[in-house]
Amino acid sequence: MSGYAMEPAASREIGTDALPPSDQWSTAPVVAAPVCRFENFLGAERAGTLLEYAISRQADFNAGTVLDPLSGQVSHKGRSSLVLPVTSAVFSAHLADCLPLVQEVLGHRAALTQTLTVLTAHGEGGHYGMHTDASRVRDVGTAVSAVYYLHREPRGFEGGRLRLYDTVLHEGGARPAESYRTIEPEHDTIVFFPASAYHEVVPSTCPSGLFADSRFTLTTWISGSAAGPGPAAPDAPFTMWPWMARAAERTRPLAEAARDHDGAAPIGLPPADPATRLTLPAVRAAG
């Protein structure tokens, strides 16, 4: 038994005069962008076949471009990557089957009807500075971005992580925060997030210098064929989508581009297959 007497704990009041005058409530909340990630998206066999295809098309890749929102000029500023516009019925079917679940996780309610897809390769020094995907879609407030990762195993590159930035809400507006989440580019994984979210690809290194050792992705922008719904009803649950769209507007081209600046063409999104459509699992009853 202890030789020390046990005294009951007593509460103590902390007066406001003990706190520094600068200690005030923040009026600018920082909210994370919604994100949904799947592992083993295509499966080992299909992922391997797609990787072989990407490597075999090395000669057809071109330097990735950036569209300036003010001038409408296309450049390579802030980006170093190779791109190849592609379409795939198999990949589109996988997207269609998982999108109902993705929309539920992301709190997304607008109809999605078409996709725009490019293969990308990041090798030595590959990167893509902070941006949104407003130049890729008609309505950035309802579009979804998806990044599917491919690479050799063991991995032949380092870096290349995706940074997904939070959003600051302030005085009726929104802007990207300094804080972010980091997503590792793991083989056969895919990540979905709002196209309005600010994000970047940090620089990668590729010691071998081989194209086959690059960080490959299928980057897809999923949108509706028309503008999305209007403002939510006053009693609707809070959602980040309208706020993020406000922040992304400054990156949206002033004039609608006639075609995608990397040469991708939109294709229709097939309906989800009832037999393979993904859904959230039922919640187990307690007890």
Side-chain angles (χ1 to χ4, degrees):
M1 188 170 179
S2 171
Y4 297 96
M6 300 295 292
E7 297 184 2
S11 62
R12 295 289 186 268
E13 180 179 350
I14 301 177
T16 56
D17 56 350
L19 300 176
S22 61
D23 189 52
Q24 303 291 333
W25 283 107
S26 169
T27 57
V30 177
V31 185
V35 62
C36 182
R37 179 177 176 272
F38 294 96
E39 298 178 346
N40 306 313
F41 184 66
L42 293 183
E45 183 177 351
R46 283 178 172 164
T49 299
L50 182 54
L51 178 59
E52 290 176 4
Y53 172 82
I55 295 172
S56 72
R57 296 292 301 274
Q58 177 178 359
D60 299 316
F61 279 77
N62 293 297
T65 60
V66 175
L67 182 64
D68 186 280
L70 295 178
S71 67
Q73 296 297 310
V74 174
S75 71
H76 306 291
K77 184 178 180 181
R79 183 180 186 185
S80 178
S81 61
L82 298 174
V83 301
L84 174 65
V86 293
T87 60
S88 168
V90 172
F91 188 71
S92 294
H94 274 69
L95 288 177
D97 285 347
C98 74
L99 272 177
L101 175 55
V102 169
Q103 290 182 271
E104 191 168 352
V105 172
L106 299 186
H108 182 275
R109 298 172 183 82
L112 297 172
T113 59
Q114 64 183 29
T115 63
L116 197 73
T117 304
V118 296
L119 260 173
T120 74
H122 287 71
E124 181 64 31
H127 67 279
Y128 199 160
M130 189 196 296
H131 64 286
T132 76
D133 292 331
S135 66
R136 307 285 188 170
V137 296
R138 179 172 180 177
D139 180 20
V140 71
T142 60
V144 176
S145 295
V147 184
Y148 173 70
Y149 296 103
L150 292 161
H151 61 74
R152 276 180 165 182
E153 295 179 305
R155 187 187 298 180
F157 67 90
E158 294 294 336
R161 297 173 184 86
L162 175 67
R163 286 180 176 175
L164 190 62
Y165 283 83
D166 301 333
T167 300
V168 178
L169 313 183
H170 184 58
E171 297 181 349
R175 57 178 171 80
E178 295 183 1
S179 55
Y180 54 81
R181 281 174 291 174
T182 300
I183 297 169
E184 195 73 27
E186 297 288 354
H187 180 68
D188 197 23
T189 65
I190 190 169
V191 59
F192 296 84
F193 54 90
S196 55
Y198 277 83
H199 56 285
E200 71 173 312
V201 179
V202 302
S204 59
T205 60
C206 185
S208 73
L210 298 175
F211 180 75
D213 283 334
S214 298
R215 167 197 182 272
F216 293 100
T217 72
L218 267 181
T219 302
T220 302
W221 301 280
I222 313 165
S223 61
S225 55
D235 58 347
F238 172 80
T239 172
M240 273 301 298
W241 289 79
W243 291 93
M244 296 176 68
R246 292 186 192 184
E249 277 302 319
R250 69 190 69 179
T251 69
R252 185 167 182 77
L254 296 180
E256 187 171 344
R259 59 192 294 271
D260 177 70
H261 48 91
D262 278 328
I267 63 170
L269 187 68
D273 186 336
T276 52
R277 169 177 166 166
L278 296 181
T279 58
L280 282 173
V283 178
R284 291 182 179 178

